[in-house]
Amino acid sequence: MAETPRLTESAGAVFAVLTQAGSATRPQLASLAGLSKPTVSAAVAELEGAGLATHSGTASSGTGRSAAVYGLGPAAGSVLAVDLGPARTRVRACALDGTLLAEADTPRTRAADAVREALAALPAGAPLRAIVVAVGDVTAPDRAGTGMRPATAKAGPVFDAVSVALPPGVPVHLENNVNCAALAELHEGAARGRHTFGYLRIGVGIGLGIVIGGHVLRGANGAAGELARLPYPWDDDREPRQEALEAYVGSQALLRRAAEAWPETDGPCPRTAERLFALAAQGREPARALVARHAADVGRLAAAVAAVLDPGLIVLGGSTGADPQVLPGVRAELGRLSWPTEVVSSQIGDLGTVVGAARLAVAKGVQTVTEGAQAKD
């Protein structure tokens, strides 16, 4: 990783504003950063000298004068976001203003190849500032105390496999995949303009991203929203088992129920959730009944979320949760069991995790450049 220049406080503030704006004139930077024009002029000169900003054109004002427009320079660098999904690995590389530079999508078994493919497409000489890896697990400090890693065997092996492709010396941040998707919905999806909501993902696994006051709630152990750990079943005759609720609501259980209930007269039983939902959309009655039951189950889980959080809004995501056929049944069951809560489907879909991870990576990358800015003032 290239050495990060030590910036003055004002240069750090202007750089942070420039990453958000993408491009701006000096008067615009002064307004956005809340600094005087002479201070901004000195800060821009400092950033240009460090290669963190560059003159990218001119803009005309209403008076006929033209002003220099500045954008990020080559030394600003880039960030990498990696989504280690249950079936596929998605990777995005972005500039620090969020511009997409490269992306890759491979089966999960080729996770390291996806990372190498994206890294190879980055501009030569541009430093990599931060890496965010989204995992389907809680994260915890590793035994050596050198960083974070998946806390259980769920994501450990694939994380280890992809780690060999990550360049040394670049800060690596782990984040739960559902939290990343919740960030994407907050900024770019169905929860835009909402500061408190729950992102309920239902697919192979289940999970909840909790956003309170515009920030993801992670909890004391980083395990907030781990719905798989809710006690289930919970009645007089059966003892709860660890993660039994995920085993009941997840897509694998849905397919098992399909195999048990599918009439031979209706042809081959669907082997994937996608096929089951496609048959339901075609009006095939066995498939419609299974999807309806699944929607009711998700609705009961949503009622539990509403009872604990009262989020006002629940966004449904995941390979089965985001299907529009699920939405009416979830709304009906939630309405029956709890108080009024708006429920909508994800607007980002399968890309939600890598989109959110990329946004988080950009924030981490900007922080890497600006975190020591006050030292020179």
Side-chain angles (χ1 to χ4, degrees):
M1 182 176 68
E3 184 177 351
T4 303
R6 299 295 294 272
L7 301 175
T8 61
E9 183 178 3
S10 55
V14 170
F15 180 79
V17 165
L18 189 57
T19 62
Q20 295 178 6
S23 63
T25 64
R26 291 185 187 184
Q28 289 171 333
L29 291 171
S31 176
L32 292 169
L35 299 172
S36 69
K37 291 182 181 178
T39 300
V40 166
S41 293
V44 168
E46 182 182 344
L47 293 173
E48 283 189 289
L52 295 172
T54 186
H55 182 199
S56 60
T58 57
S60 298
S61 66
T63 62
R65 293 183 176 183
S66 60
V69 176
Y70 296 90
L72 295 182
S78 58
V79 296
L80 194 71
V82 184
D83 169 22
L84 299 180
R88 304 197 66 80
T89 295
R90 296 179 174 88
V91 182
R92 283 193 170 194
C94 297
L96 293 194
D97 61 1
T99 301
L100 181 64
L101 300 176
E103 57 185 339
D105 185 338
T106 69
R108 179 169 171 152
T109 54
R110 294 181 51 229
D113 293 337
V115 171
R116 294 188 184 99
E117 183 180 333
L119 289 173
L122 291 178
L128 190 62
R129 297 294 185 186
I131 300 169
V132 169
V133 181
V135 297
D137 198 356
V138 177
T139 62
D142 66 15
R143 293 179 180 178
T146 57
M148 302 295 289
R149 61 170 291 105
T152 73
K154 278 185 176 181
V158 69
F159 175 73
D160 292 339
V162 79
S163 295
V164 300
L166 300 178
V170 182
V172 178
H173 309 273
L174 267 66
E175 181 57 274
N176 177 267
N177 58 354
V178 180
N179 287 345
C180 288
L183 280 174
E185 296 293 343
L186 171 65
H187 293 286
E188 304 177 39
R192 280 175 295 183
R194 306 290 286 266
H195 298 292
T196 297
F197 69 95
Y199 170 78
L200 181 57
R201 171 174 282 183
I202 308 294
V204 175
I206 63 175
L208 177 70
I210 305 167
V211 176
I212 306 291
H215 300 281
V216 172
L217 178 67
R218 293 176 173 84
N221 298 296
E226 287 293 307
L227 297 180
R229 296 299 178 96
L230 284 174
Y232 178 86
W234 194 353
D235 61 27
D236 291 337
D237 301 320
R238 294 181 292 175
E239 285 291 321
R241 304 184 311 277
Q242 190 176 68
E243 299 190 356
L245 183 59
E246 183 170 86
Y248 173 79
V249 180
S251 59
Q252 295 302 315
L254 177 60
L255 293 175
R256 286 197 299 271
R257 284 193 283 273
E260 293 168 359
W262 199 262
E264 293 183 1
T265 55
D266 281 273
C269 177
R271 295 181 178 272
T272 65
E274 291 78 9
R275 179 59 180 162
L276 177 65
F277 275 81
L279 292 174
Q282 295 169 13
R284 297 281 291 276
E285 188 52 41
R288 290 181 61 186
L290 287 159
V291 169
R293 175 182 169 180
H294 186 62
D297 288 336
V298 176
R300 291 163 190 166
L301 190 54
V305 170
V308 174
L309 295 178
D310 187 22
L313 171 68
I314 293 176
V315 179
L316 298 177
S319 57
T320 64
D323 192 288
Q325 296 178 85
V326 171
L327 186 60
V330 173
R331 286 173 170 169
E333 192 69 358
L334 175 59
R336 184 179 74 86
L337 295 173
S338 190
W339 41 79
T341 302
E342 184 181 359
V343 185
V344 298
S345 297
S346 166
Q347 293 182 357
I348 302 179
D350 292 343
L351 294 177
T353 295
V354 74
V355 167
R359 177 172 287 274
L360 183 59
V362 166
K364 295 291 187 182
V366 173
Q367 182 181 5
T368 298
V369 175
T370 62
E371 62 185 354
Q374 295 186 21
K376 284 180 62 179
D377 272 5

